[in-house]
Amino acid sequence: MPSSVTALGQARSSGPGMAPSACCCSPAALQRRLPILAWLPSYSLQWLKMDFVAGLSVGLTAIPQALAYAEVAGLPPQYGLYSAFMGCFVYFFLGTSRDVTLGPTAIMSLLVSFYTFHEPAYAVLLAFLSGCIQLAMGVLRLAGTSSMSPLGWPGFLLDFISYPVIKGFTSAAAVTIGFGQIKNLLGLQNIPRPFFLQVYHTFLRIAETRVGDAVLGLVCMLLLLVLKLMRDHVPPVHPEMPPGVRLSRGLVWAATTARNALVVSFAALVAYSFEVTGYQPFILTGETAEGLPPVRIPPFSVTTANGTISFTEMVQDMGAGLAVVPLMGLLESIAVAKAFASQNNYRIDANQELLAIGLTNMLGSLVSSYPVTGSFGRTAVNAQSGVCTPAGGLVTGVLVLLSLDYLTSLFYYIPKSALAAVIIMAVAPLFDTKIFRTLWRVKRLDLLPLCVTFLLCFWEVQYGILAGALVSLLMLLHSAARPETKVSEGPVLVLQPASGLSFPAMEALREEILSRALEVSPPRCLVLECTHVCSIDYTVVLGLGELLQDFQKQGVALAFVGLQVPVLRVLLSADLKGFQYFSTLEEAEKHLRQEPGTQPYNIREDSILDQKVALLKA
């Protein structure tokens, strides 16, 4: 593999927040905003060859998928192609991953179908508004976890959407999209789009299955599966192999990589053959608008038979989609970029990726694109094809434009059952059965947000994501409010919070200390081992002060061990009466057993405290 990773990876190694004092016009800052400047000076002929092959492979995958995903989005087929090329050109300049390809995806198409009512004008406006939101999020640096935004907001807001929530959503999306294509696979017509009605009417009208569509669809699925298995098991080509072996393996690799295009072309040829005979057993894609899309501003109003729908009304109609679509686009694309960056040992800039996605959606809306994001399937094809830089996307983009200009008349003969087979095989890996078994084995409680998200997404996507995130947050708050404690019985009772100590946990900790030390006969001394406590708030300070008073009233002592410097400073500043701190547990136990020679650090002796704090700092 050519080492373009070095050019891309080293350019990102400093990170967006590593040199805040650097001039915005410095070469490093310019490279962060235009990553193309990091790898273009060292571009070579060998990279060009690899990028061309990869771009061609991705293009042959992208064209049939774009036609298929337009069906998922409920839009005419040309809108899938309109959405498939702008990201290739924008990412060439702004992308920080050599592997990622931007374009229509199954999940994004499902969301577009849900929030735009199968109206192209709504879909294009949603792309523009999503791009504006994503661009703003990128400028505010809300995608990263290690930097701060210009407004001082931390860049970890999106980290509160847990992995089980994402998996629940993607699994539900896979089921929704896959089952939504059963009607096309079986040749059923006039099936409603809402999921539960779709399931009901599909089974109700199963007897109306068209044999031709069903047979062709199943054959296409079988071919796609066989070609995928061949692709996964074809050994890589090595220069030392005989020319004949290299040629044969190269042909197998090319055929299996472009399997979507091959299968769709095969199905179209079969349909055309029947068309010539005057008998057509398949439902065809039909007319696709010819030529390149016109460049025009997004529709900020729509004229219908009942009047004009204003921009404000369109925004109200899309509702939660204006939050869900940008958010899921961000999560999907950055997840793809990080996965392949980790696999191929280079770094990406999440905020720069978000800028690229946002600008792609904004500019794409000028050519009638609906919202796009990073595609895992096409990115995998890109990586497996040996892409070296984002320049491979140029080949993909040009191929899509050429298909729009010259091949749209041929798309008429593509059977819908063949496109349904492409979609079903593309979304099948999204349903992760292993995650259920893994969570059952590792932590069963995490199945709760996954299942909540999975089930509610069949009703309303935004409710599923929101409910799953809320359940995850409640689980997080519960663990903060009820931290586990480790108790050691002995001459002196030792209680150690197993995690941090914050104000929701104070009452539970107080009750446990009272029940174990003061509500027994006789009352017992207690050591609070605070090694895992890195910060405390005022509520905790008040609670500890009350505990010290309770222990003094009972004639026993409460001592502290393992206090970190920030915590110790807070407790010293509070001037708690009876506060005793020891550096080790052994010292605390000796003092509480009234053994001579061991004294606590007296908070009134400032010189001693200063020495101890300095010692802790060292």
Side-chain angles (χ1 to χ4, degrees), residues 395-433:
V395 181
T396 302
V398 169
L399 201 61
V400 174
L401 290 174
L402 289 174
S403 70
L404 273 168
D405 216 16
Y406 297 106
L407 301 180
T408 48
S409 60
L410 301 179
F411 296 156
Y412 177 93
Y413 298 101
I414 298 177
K416 286 191 173 184
S417 59
L419 294 179
V422 169
I423 295 171
I424 291 172
M425 296 304 294
V427 302
L430 293 177
F431 187 82
D432 189 358
T433 56

mmCIF file of all heavy atoms in Angstrom, residues 395-433:
data_model
loop_
_atom_site.group_PDB
_atom_site.id
_atom_site.type_symbol
_atom_site.label_atom_id
_atom_site.label_comp_id
_atom_site.label_asym_id
_atom_site.label_seq_id
_atom_site.Cartn_x
_atom_site.Cartn_y
_atom_site.Cartn_z
ATOM 1 N N VAL A 395 -12.536 10.718 -9.616
ATOM 2 C CA VAL A 395 -12.910 9.730 -10.636
ATOM 3 C C VAL A 395 -14.350 9.287 -10.420
ATOM 4 O O VAL A 395 -15.137 9.181 -11.370
ATOM 5 C CB VAL A 395 -11.952 8.523 -10.596
ATOM 6 C CG1 VAL A 395 -12.320 7.497 -11.658
ATOM 7 C CG2 VAL A 395 -10.506 8.981 -10.766
ATOM 8 N N THR A 396 -14.711 9.047 -9.164
ATOM 9 C CA THR A 396 -16.083 8.648 -8.848
ATOM 10 C C THR A 396 -17.069 9.728 -9.261
ATOM 11 O O THR A 396 -18.102 9.449 -9.889
ATOM 12 C CB THR A 396 -16.216 8.357 -7.343
ATOM 13 O OG1 THR A 396 -15.300 7.331 -6.968
ATOM 14 C CG2 THR A 396 -17.629 7.923 -6.999
ATOM 15 N N GLY A 397 -16.768 10.971 -8.901
ATOM 16 C CA GLY A 397 -17.665 12.075 -9.240
ATOM 17 C C GLY A 397 -17.846 12.244 -10.738
ATOM 18 O O GLY A 397 -18.967 12.447 -11.227
ATOM 19 N N VAL A 398 -16.748 12.159 -11.491
ATOM 20 C CA VAL A 398 -16.830 12.285 -12.953
ATOM 21 C C VAL A 398 -17.647 11.145 -13.536
ATOM 22 O O VAL A 398 -18.449 11.341 -14.464
ATOM 23 C CB VAL A 398 -15.414 12.321 -13.556
ATOM 24 C CG1 VAL A 398 -15.476 12.190 -15.078
ATOM 25 C CG2 VAL A 398 -14.702 13.612 -13.161
ATOM 26 N N LEU A 399 -17.489 9.934 -12.994
ATOM 27 C CA LEU A 399 -18.239 8.781 -13.502
ATOM 28 C C LEU A 399 -19.738 8.973 -13.279
ATOM 29 O O LEU A 399 -20.552 8.649 -14.162
ATOM 30 C CB LEU A 399 -17.748 7.514 -12.792
ATOM 31 C CG LEU A 399 -18.015 6.178 -13.498
ATOM 32 C CD1 LEU A 399 -17.330 6.151 -14.857
ATOM 33 C CD2 LEU A 399 -17.512 5.022 -12.643
ATOM 34 N N VAL A 400 -20.116 9.500 -12.124
ATOM 35 C CA VAL A 400 -21.533 9.756 -11.856
ATOM 36 C C VAL A 400 -22.076 10.812 -12.826
ATOM 37 O O VAL A 400 -23.181 10.674 -13.373
ATOM 38 C CB VAL A 400 -21.739 10.201 -10.395
ATOM 39 C CG1 VAL A 400 -23.189 10.615 -10.158
ATOM 40 C CG2 VAL A 400 -21.360 9.078 -9.432
ATOM 41 N N LEU A 401 -21.297 11.863 -13.065
ATOM 42 C CA LEU A 401 -21.737 12.906 -13.994
ATOM 43 C C LEU A 401 -21.883 12.364 -15.411
ATOM 44 O O LEU A 401 -22.830 12.711 -16.134
ATOM 45 C CB LEU A 401 -20.736 14.071 -13.969
ATOM 46 C CG LEU A 401 -20.711 14.907 -12.685
ATOM 47 C CD1 LEU A 401 -19.581 15.921 -12.733
ATOM 48 C CD2 LEU A 401 -22.045 15.610 -12.482
ATOM 49 N N LEU A 402 -20.961 11.505 -15.825
ATOM 50 C CA LEU A 402 -21.058 10.907 -17.156
ATOM 51 C C LEU A 402 -22.302 10.023 -17.271
ATOM 52 O O LEU A 402 -22.969 9.999 -18.314
ATOM 53 C CB LEU A 402 -19.796 10.084 -17.458
ATOM 54 C CG LEU A 402 -18.511 10.890 -17.697
ATOM 55 C CD1 LEU A 402 -17.314 9.946 -17.845
ATOM 56 C CD2 LEU A 402 -18.655 11.760 -18.933
ATOM 57 N N SER A 403 -22.620 9.300 -16.201
ATOM 58 C CA SER A 403 -23.815 8.456 -16.240
ATOM 59 C C SER A 403 -25.074 9.312 -16.347
ATOM 60 O O SER A 403 -26.034 8.941 -17.036
ATOM 61 C CB SER A 403 -23.873 7.571 -14.992
ATOM 62 O OG SER A 403 -24.157 8.338 -13.827
ATOM 63 N N LEU A 404 -25.089 10.456 -15.689
ATOM 64 C CA LEU A 404 -26.239 11.362 -15.791
ATOM 65 C C LEU A 404 -26.379 11.917 -17.205
ATOM 66 O O LEU A 404 -27.496 12.098 -17.710
ATOM 67 C CB LEU A 404 -26.076 12.516 -14.799
ATOM 68 C CG LEU A 404 -26.600 12.302 -13.381
ATOM 69 C CD1 LEU A 404 -26.109 13.414 -12.460
ATOM 70 C CD2 LEU A 404 -28.114 12.233 -13.364
ATOM 71 N N ASP A 405 -25.252 12.167 -17.843
ATOM 72 C CA ASP A 405 -25.295 12.807 -19.157
ATOM 73 C C ASP A 405 -25.575 11.829 -20.288
ATOM 74 O O ASP A 405 -26.192 12.185 -21.294
ATOM 75 C CB ASP A 405 -23.971 13.525 -19.406
ATOM 76 C CG ASP A 405 -24.154 14.825 -20.172
ATOM 77 O OD1 ASP A 405 -25.309 15.304 -20.241
ATOM 78 O OD2 ASP A 405 -23.156 15.364 -20.680
ATOM 79 N N TYR A 406 -25.130 10.560 -20.111
ATOM 80 C CA TYR A 406 -25.186 9.648 -21.258
ATOM 81 C C TYR A 406 -25.950 8.349 -21.014
ATOM 82 O O TYR A 406 -26.311 7.665 -21.971
ATOM 83 C CB TYR A 406 -23.757 9.289 -21.696
ATOM 84 C CG TYR A 406 -22.958 10.475 -22.165
ATOM 85 C CD1 TYR A 406 -21.934 11.007 -21.366
ATOM 86 C CD2 TYR A 406 -23.208 11.067 -23.392
ATOM 87 C CE1 TYR A 406 -21.194 12.100 -21.788
ATOM 88 C CE2 TYR A 406 -22.473 12.165 -23.830
ATOM 89 C CZ TYR A 406 -21.464 12.674 -23.020
ATOM 90 O OH TYR A 406 -20.747 13.754 -23.437
ATOM 91 N N LEU A 407 -26.172 7.950 -19.763
ATOM 92 C CA LEU A 407 -26.724 6.612 -19.520
ATOM 93 C C LEU A 407 -28.143 6.602 -18.978
ATOM 94 O O LEU A 407 -28.701 5.522 -18.755
ATOM 95 C CB LEU A 407 -25.816 5.853 -18.522
ATOM 96 C CG LEU A 407 -24.362 5.646 -18.940
ATOM 97 C CD1 LEU A 407 -23.616 4.892 -17.849
ATOM 98 C CD2 LEU A 407 -24.277 4.899 -20.265
ATOM 99 N N THR A 408 -28.744 7.762 -18.754
ATOM 100 C CA THR A 408 -30.055 7.769 -18.104
ATOM 101 C C THR A 408 -31.117 7.055 -18.932
ATOM 102 O O THR A 408 -32.061 6.486 -18.369
ATOM 103 C CB THR A 408 -30.505 9.216 -17.839
ATOM 104 O OG1 THR A 408 -30.316 9.993 -19.025
ATOM 105 C CG2 THR A 408 -29.716 9.836 -16.703
ATOM 106 N N SER A 409 -30.982 7.056 -20.236
ATOM 107 C CA SER A 409 -31.979 6.361 -21.058
ATOM 108 C C SER A 409 -31.931 4.858 -20.828
ATOM 109 O O SER A 409 -32.944 4.163 -20.985
ATOM 110 C CB SER A 409 -31.751 6.679 -22.539
ATOM 111 O OG SER A 409 -30.451 6.262 -22.940
ATOM 112 N N LEU A 410 -30.759 4.348 -20.454
ATOM 113 C CA LEU A 410 -30.620 2.906 -20.205
ATOM 114 C C LEU A 410 -31.185 2.514 -18.840
ATOM 115 O O LEU A 410 -31.515 1.334 -18.627
ATOM 116 C CB LEU A 410 -29.149 2.487 -20.293
ATOM 117 C CG LEU A 410 -28.446 2.769 -21.629
ATOM 118 C CD1 LEU A 410 -26.995 2.317 -21.560
ATOM 119 C CD2 LEU A 410 -29.173 2.061 -22.771
ATOM 120 N N PHE A 411 -31.256 3.471 -17.923
ATOM 121 C CA PHE A 411 -31.777 3.160 -16.590
ATOM 122 C C PHE A 411 -33.257 2.781 -16.641
ATOM 123 O O PHE A 411 -33.775 2.190 -15.689
ATOM 124 C CB PHE A 411 -31.587 4.349 -15.652
ATOM 125 C CG PHE A 411 -30.138 4.696 -15.403
ATOM 126 C CD1 PHE A 411 -29.776 5.987 -15.022
ATOM 127 C CD2 PHE A 411 -29.149 3.747 -15.552
ATOM 128 C CE1 PHE A 411 -28.452 6.314 -14.795
ATOM 129 C CE2 PHE A 411 -27.814 4.067 -15.334
ATOM 130 C CZ PHE A 411 -27.464 5.357 -14.954
ATOM 131 N N TYR A 412 -33.922 3.116 -17.721
ATOM 132 C CA TYR A 412 -35.348 2.810 -17.867
ATOM 133 C C TYR A 412 -35.598 1.319 -17.679
ATOM 134 O O TYR A 412 -36.624 0.911 -17.116
ATOM 135 C CB TYR A 412 -35.820 3.266 -19.252
ATOM 136 C CG TYR A 412 -37.261 2.933 -19.560
ATOM 137 C CD1 TYR A 412 -38.281 3.842 -19.293
ATOM 138 C CD2 TYR A 412 -37.614 1.696 -20.115
ATOM 139 C CE1 TYR A 412 -39.601 3.534 -19.571
ATOM 140 C CE2 TYR A 412 -38.929 1.380 -20.387
ATOM 141 C CZ TYR A 412 -39.913 2.305 -20.116
ATOM 142 O OH TYR A 412 -41.227 1.989 -20.392
ATOM 143 N N TYR A 413 -34.667 0.482 -18.148
ATOM 144 C CA TYR A 413 -34.898 -0.964 -18.187
ATOM 145 C C TYR A 413 -34.454 -1.689 -16.915
ATOM 146 O O TYR A 413 -34.548 -2.917 -16.847
ATOM 147 C CB TYR A 413 -34.158 -1.579 -19.401
ATOM 148 C CG TYR A 413 -34.668 -1.044 -20.712
ATOM 149 C CD1 TYR A 413 -33.967 -0.057 -21.406
ATOM 150 C CD2 TYR A 413 -35.863 -1.508 -21.267
ATOM 151 C CE1 TYR A 413 -34.429 0.442 -22.610
ATOM 152 C CE2 TYR A 413 -36.335 -1.007 -22.471
ATOM 153 C CZ TYR A 413 -35.615 -0.033 -23.133
ATOM 154 O OH TYR A 413 -36.087 0.461 -24.331
ATOM 155 N N ILE A 414 -33.975 -0.962 -15.933
ATOM 156 C CA ILE A 414 -33.548 -1.625 -14.700
ATOM 157 C C ILE A 414 -34.779 -2.049 -13.909
ATOM 158 O O ILE A 414 -35.599 -1.218 -13.517
ATOM 159 C CB ILE A 414 -32.678 -0.689 -13.839
ATOM 160 C CG1 ILE A 414 -31.412 -0.308 -14.594
ATOM 161 C CG2 ILE A 414 -32.334 -1.355 -12.510
ATOM 162 C CD1 ILE A 414 -30.530 0.673 -13.847
ATOM 163 N N PRO A 415 -34.944 -3.342 -13.640
ATOM 164 C CA PRO A 415 -36.107 -3.787 -12.848
ATOM 165 C C PRO A 415 -35.996 -3.318 -11.395
ATOM 166 O O PRO A 415 -34.912 -3.295 -10.816
ATOM 167 C CB PRO A 415 -36.025 -5.321 -12.929
ATOM 168 C CG PRO A 415 -35.150 -5.600 -14.111
ATOM 169 C CD PRO A 415 -34.170 -4.467 -14.174
ATOM 170 N N LYS A 416 -37.115 -2.939 -10.831
ATOM 171 C CA LYS A 416 -37.114 -2.503 -9.433
ATOM 172 C C LYS A 416 -36.720 -3.631 -8.487
ATOM 173 O O LYS A 416 -36.154 -3.388 -7.414
ATOM 174 C CB LYS A 416 -38.488 -1.947 -9.055
ATOM 175 C CG LYS A 416 -38.783 -0.583 -9.646
ATOM 176 C CD LYS A 416 -40.031 0.034 -9.027
ATOM 177 C CE LYS A 416 -40.231 1.471 -9.497
ATOM 178 N NZ LYS A 416 -41.381 2.125 -8.840
ATOM 179 N N SER A 417 -36.992 -4.860 -8.887
ATOM 180 C CA SER A 417 -36.619 -5.988 -8.024
ATOM 181 C C SER A 417 -35.099 -6.124 -7.925
ATOM 182 O O SER A 417 -34.574 -6.529 -6.886
ATOM 183 C CB SER A 417 -37.230 -7.280 -8.552
ATOM 184 O OG SER A 417 -36.804 -7.540 -9.879
ATOM 185 N N ALA A 418 -34.379 -5.754 -8.990
ATOM 186 C CA ALA A 418 -32.914 -5.806 -8.949
ATOM 187 C C ALA A 418 -32.381 -4.741 -8.008
ATOM 188 O O ALA A 418 -31.451 -4.984 -7.224
ATOM 189 C CB ALA A 418 -32.335 -5.627 -10.349
ATOM 190 N N LEU A 419 -32.940 -3.532 -8.075
ATOM 191 C CA LEU A 419 -32.520 -2.482 -7.150
ATOM 192 C C LEU A 419 -32.875 -2.845 -5.713
ATOM 193 O O LEU A 419 -32.127 -2.535 -4.778
ATOM 194 C CB LEU A 419 -33.171 -1.153 -7.536
ATOM 195 C CG LEU A 419 -32.745 -0.552 -8.884
ATOM 196 C CD1 LEU A 419 -33.489 0.752 -9.145
ATOM 197 C CD2 LEU A 419 -31.241 -0.335 -8.934
ATOM 198 N N ALA A 420 -34.017 -3.506 -5.536
ATOM 199 C CA ALA A 420 -34.394 -3.952 -4.181
ATOM 200 C C ALA A 420 -33.373 -4.947 -3.649
ATOM 201 O O ALA A 420 -33.013 -4.911 -2.464
ATOM 202 C CB ALA A 420 -35.785 -4.574 -4.215
ATOM 203 N N ALA A 421 -32.887 -5.835 -4.518
ATOM 204 C CA ALA A 421 -31.864 -6.798 -4.103
ATOM 205 C C ALA A 421 -30.578 -6.087 -3.683
ATOM 206 O O ALA A 421 -29.944 -6.456 -2.682
ATOM 207 C CB ALA A 421 -31.581 -7.776 -5.240
ATOM 208 N N VAL A 422 -30.202 -5.043 -4.425
ATOM 209 C CA VAL A 422 -29.006 -4.271 -4.080
ATOM 210 C C VAL A 422 -29.167 -3.634 -2.698
ATOM 211 O O VAL A 422 -28.251 -3.676 -1.862
ATOM 212 C CB VAL A 422 -28.739 -3.189 -5.148
ATOM 213 C CG1 VAL A 422 -27.672 -2.206 -4.679
ATOM 214 C CG2 VAL A 422 -28.318 -3.836 -6.467
ATOM 215 N N ILE A 423 -30.341 -3.065 -2.438
ATOM 216 C CA ILE A 423 -30.571 -2.393 -1.156
ATOM 217 C C ILE A 423 -30.563 -3.393 -0.009
ATOM 218 O O ILE A 423 -29.927 -3.177 1.028
ATOM 219 C CB ILE A 423 -31.902 -1.625 -1.188
ATOM 220 C CG1 ILE A 423 -31.836 -0.484 -2.200
ATOM 221 C CG2 ILE A 423 -32.251 -1.080 0.194
ATOM 222 C CD1 ILE A 423 -33.165 0.189 -2.451
ATOM 223 N N ILE A 424 -31.265 -4.493 -0.188
ATOM 224 C CA ILE A 424 -31.353 -5.485 0.890
ATOM 225 C C ILE A 424 -29.965 -6.027 1.244
ATOM 226 O O ILE A 424 -29.611 -6.160 2.428
ATOM 227 C CB ILE A 424 -32.301 -6.627 0.490
ATOM 228 C CG1 ILE A 424 -33.745 -6.103 0.428
ATOM 229 C CG2 ILE A 424 -32.213 -7.781 1.477
ATOM 230 C CD1 ILE A 424 -34.732 -7.097 -0.146
ATOM 231 N N MET A 425 -29.158 -6.321 0.231
ATOM 232 C CA MET A 425 -27.822 -6.836 0.504
ATOM 233 C C MET A 425 -26.913 -5.758 1.103
ATOM 234 O O MET A 425 -25.982 -6.082 1.845
ATOM 235 C CB MET A 425 -27.203 -7.377 -0.790
ATOM 236 C CG MET A 425 -27.942 -8.576 -1.365
ATOM 237 S SD MET A 425 -28.108 -9.947 -0.193
ATOM 238 C CE MET A 425 -26.391 -10.424 -0.004
ATOM 239 N N ALA A 426 -27.194 -4.485 0.802
ATOM 240 C CA ALA A 426 -26.378 -3.402 1.359
ATOM 241 C C ALA A 426 -26.695 -3.145 2.829
ATOM 242 O O ALA A 426 -25.795 -2.816 3.618
ATOM 243 C CB ALA A 426 -26.578 -2.123 0.546
ATOM 244 N N VAL A 427 -27.973 -3.272 3.202
ATOM 245 C CA VAL A 427 -28.356 -2.952 4.585
ATOM 246 C C VAL A 427 -28.297 -4.151 5.511
ATOM 247 O O VAL A 427 -28.343 -3.981 6.736
ATOM 248 C CB VAL A 427 -29.768 -2.322 4.654
ATOM 249 C CG1 VAL A 427 -29.836 -1.062 3.815
ATOM 250 C CG2 VAL A 427 -30.843 -3.316 4.232
ATOM 251 N N ALA A 428 -28.197 -5.350 4.964
ATOM 252 C CA ALA A 428 -28.186 -6.539 5.818
ATOM 253 C C ALA A 428 -27.084 -6.494 6.881
ATOM 254 O O ALA A 428 -27.333 -6.834 8.050
ATOM 255 C CB ALA A 428 -28.059 -7.797 4.955
ATOM 256 N N PRO A 429 -25.853 -6.051 6.544
ATOM 257 C CA PRO A 429 -24.820 -6.008 7.595
ATOM 258 C C PRO A 429 -25.102 -4.996 8.702
ATOM 259 O O PRO A 429 -24.484 -5.067 9.762
ATOM 260 C CB PRO A 429 -23.549 -5.620 6.811
ATOM 261 C CG PRO A 429 -23.827 -5.970 5.394
ATOM 262 C CD PRO A 429 -25.295 -5.757 5.214
ATOM 263 N N LEU A 430 -26.008 -4.047 8.464
ATOM 264 C CA LEU A 430 -26.313 -3.058 9.494
ATOM 265 C C LEU A 430 -27.031 -3.679 10.689
ATOM 266 O O LEU A 430 -26.973 -3.147 11.796
ATOM 267 C CB LEU A 430 -27.174 -1.926 8.917
ATOM 268 C CG LEU A 430 -26.518 -1.011 7.882
ATOM 269 C CD1 LEU A 430 -27.524 -0.002 7.362
ATOM 270 C CD2 LEU A 430 -25.305 -0.308 8.472
ATOM 271 N N PHE A 431 -27.728 -4.790 10.446
ATOM 272 C CA PHE A 431 -28.412 -5.455 11.561
ATOM 273 C C PHE A 431 -27.398 -6.356 12.262
ATOM 274 O O PHE A 431 -27.049 -7.427 11.778
ATOM 275 C CB PHE A 431 -29.603 -6.269 11.069
ATOM 276 C CG PHE A 431 -30.440 -6.826 12.190
ATOM 277 C CD1 PHE A 431 -31.394 -6.044 12.806
ATOM 278 C CD2 PHE A 431 -30.252 -8.121 12.645
ATOM 279 C CE1 PHE A 431 -32.162 -6.538 13.853
ATOM 280 C CE2 PHE A 431 -31.005 -8.631 13.686
ATOM 281 C CZ PHE A 431 -31.963 -7.836 14.291
ATOM 282 N N ASP A 432 -26.922 -5.889 13.382
ATOM 283 C CA ASP A 432 -25.833 -6.556 14.093
ATOM 284 C C ASP A 432 -26.395 -7.496 15.152
ATOM 285 O O ASP A 432 -26.759 -7.071 16.252
ATOM 286 C CB ASP A 432 -24.925 -5.502 14.729
ATOM 287 C CG ASP A 432 -23.655 -6.101 15.301
ATOM 288 O OD1 ASP A 432 -23.503 -7.337 15.231
ATOM 289 O OD2 ASP A 432 -22.818 -5.349 15.815
ATOM 290 N N THR A 433 -26.473 -8.776 14.819
ATOM 291 C CA THR A 433 -26.984 -9.746 15.793
ATOM 292 C C THR A 433 -25.975 -10.008 16.913
ATOM 293 O O THR A 433 -26.357 -10.346 18.031
ATOM 294 C CB THR A 433 -27.312 -11.078 15.093
ATOM 295 O OG1 THR A 433 -26.144 -11.551 14.405
ATOM 296 C CG2 THR A 433 -28.429 -10.891 14.075
#
